[in-house]
Amino acid sequence: MNIWRERLIDCYYGATLPWRLRWNHRHARVGLSPVMILFYHRVADDHLSSWTISNRQFERHLDWIGQRFEFVSLAAAQQRIAQRYNPHPAVAITFDDGYAENCEKALPLLVKRKIPFTYFVSTGNILTGRPFPHEADADYQAPVNTIKQLRNLAAAGGEIGAHTRFHADLGSIDDEDRLYDEVVLATRDLAAEIGQPIRYFAFPYGLPNNLNDRAFQMCRDEGLLGVCSAYGGYNMPGDDPFHLQRIHGDPQLSRLRNWLTIDPRKLSVPRYMPEMTPGPLAEAACPAEATGAMA
Ligand SMILES: [Zn+2]
């Protein structure tokens, strides 16, 4: 990131710090602290790209976050949103796609520190070793995880999640059969390969244009517990716990700090509201009278 841009963010952070401290204190006092979910892609020290963070930077992130926030699993994050109570700002770590180099240092570091993480992978790319679409034309095509690595990750306590078959932009797919294959069948195949159920799904690209209400519904009908987007945005206790909004684990610590301490501008990011029939988690989270009022 441009040094001046970084300084500008630092100035903005400093100018809004009193507001941030007040906001966080006020929300913590009533058990309404934010639940933040970060997404990373590739952690490696060479062939850097806009979706790569170095191992040193990644470790700095963990140090900085660990000193200020509570690390939680995606399931615990979701539970706090559903229960409408979160007394401490919490951060969940996720990864998208399935880059083999993550297994060298970053993931062992998480396991060593007992930091929970969810690892979303595109089933077809894992099974074939084919590079992801956003790397197809790049000079360097980063190796993709193997099924064996994913099994090891799951055995070490990592949660494996689904990320379509070949990293499809689901927002551009109308065909029901294709959508079903990318969302449901690819998830089932992944579960069969790693030998355990898949509970979460993440939309590739994850911006509002890349989301698809039918895909949300398919995930719910399939019995998945939650679905992640990636356009930035906080999750507040009482939000829809099925749709988990995520924030980019930006390599620059100043930008990460700006986001995780609550950027006033980010509070106004509109939440994508998929049209779906209510699921068991939402019903469990809503008292009977509230569910009735919504009907
Ligand atoms: Zn992805």
Side-chain angles (χ1 to χ4, degrees), residues 41 96-97 99 120 122 132 134 163 167 202-205 246:
H41 289 95
D96 281 5
D97 301 351
Y99 290 98
F120 293 102
S122 299
F132 302 106
H134 44 281
H163 198 48
H167 206 276
F203 277 96
Y205 310 105
R246 297 185 299 170

